[in-house]
Amino acid sequence: MSKVLSYAALSATENLQSHTIERRDVGLNDVEIDILYCGVCHSDIHMTRDEWGFNSIYPMVPGHEIVGKVISVGFDVKQFKVGDLVGVGCMVDSCQKCNSCVDGLEQYCESGSISTYGSLDTMHDNSVTYGGYSEKIVVDKNFVVRMPNNIDVKKTAPLLCAGITTWSPLRQWNVKKGDTVGIIGLGGLGHMGVKFAHALGCKVVMITTSQQKGEDAKKLGADEVLISTDTKAMEKYANKFDFLLNTIPVEHDVSSYVELLKRDATMVVVGSLAPLLGVHGTPLILGRKRIAGSLIGGIKETQEMLDFCGQHDIVADVEMIDIQNINQAYTRMIKNDVKYRFVIDMQSLKNS
Ligand code: NAP
Ligand code: ZN
């Protein structure tokens, strides 16, 4: 075991603070990573405050957009070596045997995948997993991905969650060149959704509550902007979309978005684990429309997404912060005031 400095929530109602955790010794199949950067996902707020009612375990060290350098590897690790630039996303293990795992969809592991933080690591020692707001992490080799070397490293951390969560449904629903795609909500996930849909050759419409952010969305790759609170504008876009990606993080009424779908089109919900209000059978039945959900993405498709980002020069738009400012960052995220992902420079933790 080694002692590692981190930032943790000690309860659902306290601010995050400096805290020391223990990491397991490097096993035969493990990769030990010195963390350089960690993105700040809205899920970190939901989890530290136990907003999803998952009975969060405290102390909780959040962070599942981890980029770092390999500092040691276990005897049976052949694909990574000391010095490699690697990433870890939302999962650190799974049974690796069930149908989902064999299909490369470890996030749907039939035994339950092990989350990067806040899970009991039943595949190892039943200890609680701690995430990336820390100096170092030890992870099974099969849950480590290779980061592209040709793009700005600090801007790649958000690809590990915001990136894969938007990439996976775009691929799964075969979104293709020429499709009209609406991205709902311009936050960490949404801005990656805009970039990917644009890179795939789609006509991208940013669907936002914010006029000002809408203008920014065009710089990210959106062709058009639709203000979701403008009823008349929403009516103009009725039945126009081949695909909608809904990143809204809270309970909300989906009826006005369902109206936007063409016949046979799908809205994939990735943002809200709360009830979807306003789901009515009539528009779904009359238009053979679909509402679906999607959870992050598998390790294989995460690597594919990272390789795509390397080839197409895609990174997140980030605001760098020191770990000491994490609580202010949470407050700003709740006010929708971040363009478009906070990334923690972990040097700030090492300096403290
Ligand atoms: P975020 O940066 O806070 O962005 C969410 C965006 O949603 C906001 O910027 C805002 O965009 C819009 N929004 C917020 N409240 C709204 C409301 N009441 N009505 C309409 N729009 C609203 O969050 P994020 O990090 O992108 O995460 C989004 C959600 O995805 C979170 O709940 C997170 O937990 C979840 N998540 C899911 C997965 C998965 O696997 N499915 C993975 C990662 C994260 P505008 O200002 O443009 O309106
Ligand atoms: Zn996340």
Side-chain angles (χ1 to χ4, degrees):
M1 295 282 226
S2 63
K3 287 203 184 305
V4 170
L5 199 57
S6 73
Y7 252 61
L10 302 186
S11 76
T13 53
E14 283 169 90
N15 275 340
L16 272 67
Q17 54 189 269
S18 177
H19 181 73
T20 302
I21 54 169
E22 287 194 325
R23 296 284 187 199
R24 68 168 182 262
D25 293 334
V26 179
L28 288 178
N29 290 300
D30 284 337
V31 178
E32 185 181 24
I33 301 162
D34 177 51
I35 302 176
L36 298 173
Y37 303 105
C38 185
V40 182
C41 179
H42 205 118
S43 304
D44 299 348
I45 304 178
H46 292 307
M47 285 294 289
T48 51
R49 300 183 178 182
D50 204 11
E51 291 173 349
W52 283 331
F54 288 171
N55 290 325
S56 291
I57 309 168
Y58 300 97
M60 174 173 284
V61 178
H64 57 206
E65 295 184 337
I66 300 168
V67 174
K69 284 245 156 104
V70 175
I71 45 175
S72 74
V73 295
F75 188 76
D76 289 340
V77 177
K78 305 294 173 219
Q79 68 267 54
F80 297 108
K81 59 176 189 323
V82 172
D84 284 354
L85 187 63
V86 294
V88 178
C90 301
M91 300 176 281
V92 286
D93 218 332
S94 70
C95 83
Q96 306 190 38
K97 294 185 198 86
C98 73
N99 289 330
S100 293
C101 288
V102 169
D103 287 347
L105 296 168
E106 300 87 350
Q107 72 274 34
Y108 304 113
C109 173
E110 289 162 23
S111 307
S113 64
I114 311 294
S115 300
T116 302
Y117 64 85
S119 264
L120 283 183
D121 192 349
T122 48
M123 306 298 162
H124 288 89
D125 51 6
N126 275 315
S127 62
V128 177
T129 56
Y130 296 121
Y133 297 7
S134 62
E135 294 174 289
K136 286 191 268 182
I137 191 165
V138 177
V139 182
D140 183 283
K141 65 185 180 192
N142 292 329
F143 288 78
V144 177
V145 286
R146 195 170 287 285
M147 300 306 292
N149 274 313
N150 60 319
I151 46 181
D152 190 347
V153 187
K154 60 183 181 296
K155 297 183 179 172
T156 59
L159 301 174
L160 276 319
C161 173
I164 186 58
T165 303
T166 49
W167 173 261
S168 178
L170 288 168
R171 304 304 286 161
Q172 174 63 24
W173 272 269
N174 293 317
V175 170
K176 57 188 187 309
K177 192 171 177 182
D179 283 354
T180 301
V181 170
I183 307 291
I184 307 172
L186 186 48
L189 266 56
H191 97 290
M192 289 312 308
V194 169
K195 290 187 184 209
F196 286 142
H198 175 74
L200 292 170
C202 305
K203 176 180 160 186
V204 185
V205 182
M206 182 69 239
I207 305 174
T208 173
T209 58
S210 154
Q211 184 85 46
Q212 183 253 324
K213 271 198 208 170
E215 290 310 308
D216 278 16
K218 290 193 177 156
K219 293 180 206 143
L220 299 171
D223 298 288
E224 293 172 18
V225 174
L226 172 55
I227 305 297
S228 54
T229 47
D230 180 341
T231 316
K232 286 225 157 60
M234 289 289 275
E235 279 167 8
K236 275 195 207 142
Y237 278 85
N239 305 307
K240 293 273 192 288
F241 286 86
D242 297 289
F243 184 79
L244 289 174
L245 187 65
N246 180 341
T247 76
I248 298 173
V250 290
E251 181 175 296
H252 61 281
D253 191 312
V254 294
S255 54
S256 59
Y257 301 117
V258 170
E259 294 296 330
L260 303 177
L261 294 168
K262 284 182 185 171
R263 191 203 74 222
D264 289 326
T266 302
M267 172 167 71
V268 174
V269 174
V270 290
S272 177
L273 285 179
L276 300 174
L277 309 178
V279 179
H280 197 293
T282 307
L284 296 179
I285 292 170
L286 297 187
R288 201 158 64 181
K289 299 177 180 186
R290 306 179 183 111
I291 301 175
S294 181
L295 177 65
I296 48 172
I299 298 299
K300 186 163 171 271
E301 60 182 346
T302 302
Q303 190 62 63
E304 284 164 7
M305 177 272 307
L306 291 170
D307 296 345
F308 183 88
C309 289
Q311 285 151 17
H312 295 261
D313 212 4
I314 296 176
V315 288
D317 284 31
V318 306
E319 191 175 327
M320 300 304 296
I321 57 165
D322 288 346
I323 189 82
Q324 292 79 3
N325 295 329
I326 189 64
N327 296 301
Q328 292 94 310
Y330 279 13
T331 305
R332 283 186 50 197
M333 276 172 78
I334 290 165
K335 290 188 195 150
N336 291 339
D337 174 26
V338 50
K339 291 182 175 176
Y340 281 95
R341 201 56 142 184
F342 288 116
V343 171
I344 308 164
D345 184 344
M346 279 307 155
Q347 193 57 44
S348 59
L349 180 62
K350 290 162 193 158
N351 291 343
S352 68

